[in-house]
Amino acid sequence: MSLVFEHVSLELGDGDQKVKALDDVSGSVSPGELAAVVGPSGVGKSSLLAVCGGLRSPTDGEISINEQSISGLSPAQLTRIRRDYIGFVFQQSNLVPALTSVDQLLLVPSLRGRRPTATDREHALALLAEVDMSHRADRRPDQLSGGERQRVGIARSLMSDPMVLLVDEPTSMLDHARGHAIVELLATRCVEHKVAALMVTHDATMLDSASSVMHIKDGQITQEH
Amino acid sequence: MFIALRDLKFAKGRFLLMGLVVALVAFLMTFLSGVAAGLIRNNISGLIQLDVTHLSFEYNNNKPSYRNSMIEREMWEGWQALPGVLSAEPMGHTMFGARQMNDAPLDDVVLWGIQPGSFLEPEVLEGEALGRLENGVIISELLVDRGLKLGDKFILDRVLTELEVVGIVGEHTIGHVPIVYTPIRKWQEATYGPPGGPPPGEVLPDILYDFATIIALQVSQDFNQNRMENADMELGTLTIDKVDAYEASSGYIEEVRTVQMIQAFLTVISAVVIGAFFTVWTIQRTKEIGLIKALGGSSAYLLRDALSQVIILMVMGTVVGTSIAIWLGGGIETTGGFFVLDRDTVIASSILLIVAGLIGSALSIRLITRVDPIIALGREQ
């Protein structure tokens, strides 16, 4: 298993404001699998993504990536885990405004402390080709449509050859057809790159391509199939 | 520098404006340094060219001052007799108003009384050395601009001493007033004698020639501070080295302090402006910083990147501003204005500006460390 979370709880806020965002949730995702977490807004979907990605430390429970526990690691160690093992696809694509599409991908080796090489560039262009974005490689985010930005985001998430892909509402800014195409693309890439992907979405119509589905409500997984 | 360089290109309008501000501050700092050095040189250029190691003033509980000092023959003869003293010459310093023979005013001049042929006598650009004529003098070329030339005679106001120009030197000034190098006996007569010289048929008393303003010294390297203090105690003098003697020139300290204060203000303003710019810039980039952290970018990576952006901006702005100041100052210098720049001053003021910018921005880019990567998921920190 590439991603395992066991008995994970997360409390947010202090005192009277304390909220249990996750309540004893468990699950796992294998390489090549796209697991969907579905539920309405505010039930804990993104909190699950945050703890799995080391952006929040869980109050309780254990998270493992490639059988290595990431619970209790320092912020600096978690940053390295994200850099080396995890790819993110964000809700609003979240591209760096100053970078062209190809540079968005070349940022990944740069974050590892090395100057991007010609091989990196070839790899980045190949990934952009996989998401049908070769022709927009030298465009900046403000010159791309919402769907194109999301495709670049997907290509970037695969640039580091991650073990785990965490996908946050990838279709929320897109129309149904484009959203569907993006989820299909993600599912295909996960199989091809043997990545374990956890995708949270509130849109139940986007689940056709998912290998498994977890329903979440009030911080608890209520159904899994 | 991966993001820094691309950010500079992407937001070039914003960075260009900020670069212009840096260039303007660099220009002001360099230009002001040049003007200050020029002004200071104009104040003490006569002292700078003096081939002395120290100057001895009368000890009188005041700070050394040319106006308040009067030394006697025993003092300079005492210094001349000391082992380790290579040369000791009396020197006179008095300011007079002067006018040409046709009554055209020459404004103020400073008469420096020196022994003709001594180490205090400057090399002339035109004319001859002191000594042939009893009232022959060497003038600063600033007085040529006021209408004097070789062979001209002029009169000192008040004392009505008549002097004749036998030589011309460069822009020698003290306290921004042109210097007239005069045989010391003539200086003593003008300073201590009766107006217009002695009555017909009489001579001035010898005691007149036993006084001067200061003693100009050349001492050997082993003549240490301790020996200097002992000599001062014994002879009733107060001896300071040549550079300290600049402060005895009228207005010198005030000029230097004023310029230093303006430079300090400019440095602080520069640090604050750069700091403010990068604070706003960092706040505007908060979401982007959160994203990069979520992707695995460390705070150190982001700080390095932001700092390199500051360095590029500061260095380029400083080079542009400094170059314009050097170019403009060069023009002023060739037209005879107060402007002097040396390489060390340019380097020092440039480094000072860059360091000030780095300090100002360092405080702002520290905000980077506080950005929580969770905002990449669209959540507030």
Side-chain angles (χ1 to χ4, degrees):
Chain A
M1 292 292 175
S2 282
L3 173 65
V4 179
F5 46 97
E6 292 173 298
H7 308 294
V8 170
S9 296
L10 176 69
E11 289 180 350
L12 299 173
D14 293 313
D16 294 344
Q17 305 291 314
K18 196 175 277 186
V19 176
K20 204 153 197 175
L22 294 173
D23 187 5
D24 195 26
V25 295
S26 298
S28 62
V29 192
S30 303
E33 192 182 315
L34 172 65
V37 179
V38 68
S41 294
V43 295
K45 300 190 302 289
S46 293
S47 295
L48 180 60
L49 217 58
V51 292
C52 287
L55 298 173
R56 284 257 189 266
S57 293
T59 316
D60 264 317
E62 186 90 4
I63 295 147
S64 304
I65 291 174
N66 199 30
E67 297 179 356
Q68 183 188 343
S69 172
I70 66 165
S71 305
L73 295 183
S74 70
Q77 288 170 316
L78 288 171
T79 299
R80 278 198 291 277
I81 293 285
R82 284 198 299 275
R83 188 188 66 188
D84 295 338
Y85 300 113
I86 301 173
F88 275 100
V89 178
F90 298 102
Q91 193 169 3
Q92 293 159 10
S93 72
N94 264 356
L95 301 178
V96 180
L99 304 186
T100 60
S101 301
V102 71
D103 280 342
Q104 303 284 346
L105 276 68
L106 294 176
L107 173 63
V108 175
S110 166
L111 293 177
R112 293 182 168 183
R114 61 183 178 81
R115 190 189 292 265
T117 60
T119 314
D120 290 324
R121 193 172 178 82
E122 276 172 29
H123 182 40
L125 289 171
L127 285 170
L128 284 174
E130 281 186 30
V131 296
D132 220 6
M133 284 297 291
S134 312
H135 62 299
R136 311 288 266 172
D138 58 350
R139 299 297 168 92
R140 282 195 290 262
D142 59 345
Q143 298 167 313
L144 301 175
S145 69
E148 287 174 327
R149 285 200 287 268
Q150 201 56 281
R151 285 168 184 272
V152 174
I154 291 168
R156 181 181 63 193
S157 71
L158 297 169
M159 183 68 186
S160 62
D161 297 320
M163 291 185 167
V164 172
L165 200 61
L166 300 174
V167 187
D168 183 25
E169 303 272 13
T171 62
S172 65
M173 310 295 281
L174 306 174
D175 60 40
H176 187 78
R178 284 172 198 273
H180 219 78
I182 288 289
V183 175
E184 265 184 30
L185 179 68
L186 268 170
T188 317
R189 296 303 119 210
C190 285
V191 173
E192 282 187 9
H193 290 267
K194 294 187 173 49
V195 183
L198 184 68
M199 174 181 77
V200 303
T201 179
H202 67 280
D203 188 349
T205 65
M206 294 291 162
L207 305 177
D208 300 351
S209 311
S211 334
S212 62
V213 178
M214 290 175 251
H215 289 266
I216 192 165
K217 189 179 176 189
D218 297 332
Q220 292 180 314
I221 291 175
T222 55
Q223 197 184 347
E224 199 170 350
H225 56 88
Chain B
M1 294 227 293
F2 185 83
I3 303 169
L5 290 175
R6 287 157 181 84
D7 255 347
L8 285 169
K9 195 174 158 194
F10 177 62
K12 51 183 171 289
R14 224 176 308 192
F15 281 103
L16 192 66
L17 274 177
M18 198 55 222
L20 279 175
V21 172
V22 175
L24 183 67
V25 175
F27 168 79
L28 284 173
M29 279 188 75
T30 310
F31 191 74
L32 202 71
S33 297
V35 170
L39 197 68
I40 288 162
R41 184 185 68 175
N42 186 266
N43 191 326
I44 53 167
S45 59
L47 281 175
I48 290 171
Q49 64 77 38
L50 273 185
D51 185 20
V52 300
T53 58
H54 295 77
L55 293 177
S56 261
F57 294 76
E58 176 195 7
Y59 179 77
N60 56 12
N61 283 327
N62 290 320
K63 285 200 326 191
S65 151
Y66 301 98
R67 194 181 304 168
N68 297 327
S69 176
M70 188 165 85
I71 50 110
E72 298 171 27
R73 180 175 294 277
E74 298 81 60
M75 293 176 179
W76 74 73
E77 286 179 350
W79 274 101
Q80 284 167 344
L82 287 173
V85 175
L86 307 174
S87 302
E89 287 288 346
M91 185 175 156
H93 173 112
T94 315
M95 190 185 292
F96 291 97
R99 58 191 154 88
Q100 298 187 60
M101 299 308 283
N102 60 3
D103 267 352
L106 288 170
D107 298 332
D108 288 342
V109 297
V110 168
L111 235 58
W112 269 9
I114 58 171
Q115 189 64 41
S118 73
F119 66 93
L120 293 175
E121 185 171 345
E123 287 221 7
V124 294
L125 299 175
E126 280 181 71
E128 61 184 66
L130 298 177
R132 183 177 60 81
L133 292 176
E134 190 191 327
N135 65 341
V137 295
I138 296 170
I139 60 167
S140 163
E141 68 180 0
L142 289 170
L143 288 170
V144 175
D145 298 339
R146 295 182 192 175
L148 286 181
K149 59 183 185 303
L150 283 176
D152 279 359
K153 292 181 177 172
F154 63 98
I155 296 173
L156 300 179
D157 290 340
R158 223 168 8 96
V159 296
L160 306 178
T161 302
E162 192 179 295
L163 301 171
E164 182 175 336
V165 180
V166 298
I168 298 169
V169 289
E171 290 184 10
H172 290 196
T173 57
I174 179 86
H176 303 294
V177 179
I179 294 169
V180 174
Y181 293 90
T182 313
I184 191 156
R185 286 184 70 84
K186 184 52 79 181
W187 174 85
Q188 286 159 329
E189 288 167 8
T191 302
Y192 304 121
E202 289 185 27
V203 291
L204 294 171
D206 283 347
I207 194 168
L208 198 76
Y209 304 103
D210 288 343
F211 298 97
T213 309
I214 55 174
I215 306 166
L217 296 170
Q218 287 180 329
V219 300
S220 62
Q221 286 191 334
D222 61 347
F223 199 85
N224 58 27
Q225 188 61 28
N226 200 28
R227 291 175 67 186
M228 194 80 74
E229 284 170 9
N230 288 340
D232 276 340
M233 288 271 276
E234 189 184 326
L235 297 168
T237 52
L238 174 62
T239 304
I240 52 179
D241 70 27
K242 182 179 173 180
V243 174
D244 287 341
Y246 296 164
E247 295 181 8
S249 175
S250 138
Y252 175 82
I253 294 176
E254 290 77 6
E255 283 170 14
V256 170
R257 282 186 187 155
T258 304
V259 169
Q260 282 174 344
M261 202 167 67
I262 294 170
Q263 284 174 324
F265 273 126
L266 278 175
T267 309
V268 172
I269 287 168
S270 163
V272 170
V273 169
I274 302 289
F277 173 78
F278 277 99
T279 301
V280 173
W281 181 241
T282 306
I283 290 169
Q284 284 179 341
R285 289 182 64 215
T286 301
K287 198 174 156 207
E288 178 187 326
I289 291 164
L291 164 69
I292 294 165
K293 284 188 169 183
L295 294 176
S298 63
S299 289
Y301 173 91
L302 285 158
L303 285 172
R304 268 199 310 273
D305 201 72
L307 209 59
S308 61
Q309 213 165 46
V310 180
I311 291 171
I312 291 170
L313 187 73
M314 292 302 301
V315 169
M316 290 183 76
T318 304
V319 166
V320 169
T322 305
S323 303
I324 294 172
I326 292 171
W327 172 73
L328 199 67
I332 292 173
E333 198 176 1
T334 51
T335 57
F338 297 160
F339 195 90
V340 179
L341 262 188
D342 59 68
R343 198 188 58 177
D344 291 350
T345 310
V346 172
I347 291 172
S349 68
S350 300
I351 289 174
L352 185 67
L353 181 63
I354 291 169
V355 169
L358 285 175
I359 291 170
S361 60
L363 298 173
S364 58
I365 62 177
R366 273 184 65 240
L367 294 171
I368 285 170
T369 59
R370 297 191 204 148
V371 176
D372 191 333
I374 194 75
I375 62 172
L377 290 176
R379 310 300 184 271
E380 296 301 322
Q381 290 193 63

